[in-house]
Amino acid sequence: MVDVSWWAHGEPEILYAGGGVFLAKITGFANIIASFDGITWHNAGYCVGAQNAMTTGAYDVSRGSGVVSWWYNQTPIYYSFDSLTERTEWPLASGGGVPIFRYLTTHKGQFVGVVGGDRSIAAASSSSPTLWNTTIPEDSYNSRYMFIRSVNGKLFVMRWRYVNNTYHVRLCVLNDSATQLTETNLSHVGDLADNRIANPQNIIWMEAWGKFALFNESMLYVSDDGVTWEGVEQPGFTTTTYDTFGGAIYVPGDGFYVKASGFVYYAPY
């Protein structure tokens, strides 16, 4: 059990994990906490004047640059180039055109995110986190996006469209500049809360295999390029109705861990 004194002031919530860095918020406070191992946590900064809820964040280890997004009606991005081990003020990105984000990730020197409302994708250089450009605009199909993630040099996002009272969901791959989408062969038609959907949160890179792996309902899929996937059935690997897996990791020499609601699946490997 990790004992962090600040957590008495509010429930911690992980906003970003990648490149050996964890960013988290303390519910009810404008404080950002950070860790490099998940055990020792540092008071990494605070956002003056922030309102409502901190929704997501990202960090580029190569540049020592971080961002967090807040859900409110003014410029919502705060950023930092300071050490994550010291409590410093994160400046507010000034000027117009800075979006609210629902999801953020770090990809090859950029911050890339799904803009609030889920209808578009925007990106900024991690060296200039105040200058954001829309890379995938809203389209006439009313496309929505969720769970954007960079995994081993590939940028994945889940896209869904609501057609004839039914959700049409597909796993997609973005190019490095996040300007073009490529559809994968994994799709689902039905309810949006369905674990048969290919969720980018459940993608990992298996270095020993030289492949991406993806977990969903009773299946393990693998892919060389992130676009074409082949599946192997996993009987009993399931959740209850309207529940979904919420993340997967592989620990070398130990095995796979896949999060469900209230429990974790484990498979030694």
Side-chain angles (χ1 to χ4, degrees), residues 9-252:
H9 301 288
E11 178 186 355
E13 180 181 335
I14 303 292
L15 297 176
Y16 176 79
V21 171
F22 299 90
L23 290 182
K25 69 175 183 179
I26 301 176
T27 302
F29 283 76
N31 285 320
I32 302 158
I33 58 177
S35 176
F36 303 100
D37 59 8
I39 299 171
T40 300
W41 288 84
H42 308 276
N43 195 336
Y46 58 97
C47 304
V48 174
Q51 304 172 30
N52 298 334
M54 197 188 307
T55 56
T56 185
Y59 193 82
D60 186 339
V61 177
S62 64
R63 285 184 169 141
S65 171
V67 290
V68 292
S69 183
W70 288 76
W71 191 266
Y72 73 115
N73 60 4
Q74 301 175 28
T75 306
I77 286 283
Y78 287 77
Y79 65 96
S80 176
F81 290 97
D82 295 329
S83 169
L84 293 179
T85 62
E86 299 174 1
R87 187 176 185 268
T88 59
E89 179 180 341
W90 287 39
L92 176 66
S94 60
V98 179
I100 295 167
F101 287 99
R102 284 284 303 276
Y103 309 95
L104 277 168
T105 192
T106 303
H107 182 76
K108 297 185 178 180
Q110 292 189 105
F111 296 128
V112 187
V114 175
V115 177
D118 301 336
R119 291 183 173 91
S120 62
I121 293 172
S125 168
S126 58
S127 64
S128 303
T130 62
L131 302 174
W132 294 83
N133 297 304
T134 300
T135 57
I136 301 289
E138 297 183 27
D139 62 32
S140 58
Y141 300 104
N142 198 24
S143 297
R144 308 286 184 102
Y145 306 96
M146 298 176 69
F147 304 131
I148 193 166
R149 279 192 69 218
S150 178
V151 182
N152 195 54
K154 289 287 184 180
L155 190 55
F156 296 95
V157 71
M158 191 178 95
R159 186 193 68 201
W160 59 270
R161 294 167 175 165
Y162 193 59
V163 182
N164 297 326
N165 299 318
T166 305
Y167 293 97
H168 296 248
V169 190
R170 187 175 292 272
L171 178 68
C172 297
V173 176
L174 286 156
N175 63 349
D176 288 341
S177 59
T179 56
Q180 295 180 346
L181 277 171
T182 300
E183 295 183 342
T184 74
N185 63 323
L186 296 183
S187 62
H188 175 74
V189 178
D191 197 279
L192 192 60
D194 194 309
N195 205 38
R196 290 171 293 181
I197 292 171
N199 185 335
Q201 293 182 110
N202 305 324
I203 297 175
I204 59 176
W205 171 253
M206 288 297 295
E207 187 172 354
W209 300 351
K211 296 179 183 291
F212 295 96
L214 184 152
F215 298 93
N216 67 3
E217 186 72 17
S218 301
M219 295 293 292
L220 164 62
Y221 290 94
V222 295
S223 173
D224 295 316
D225 59 5
V227 176
T228 302
W229 296 80
E230 297 179 358
V232 179
E233 190 173 357
Q234 307 292 316
F237 183 56
T238 184
T239 60
T240 59
T241 303
Y242 304 120
D243 189 14
T244 57
F245 296 143
I249 61 172
Y250 170 65
V251 180

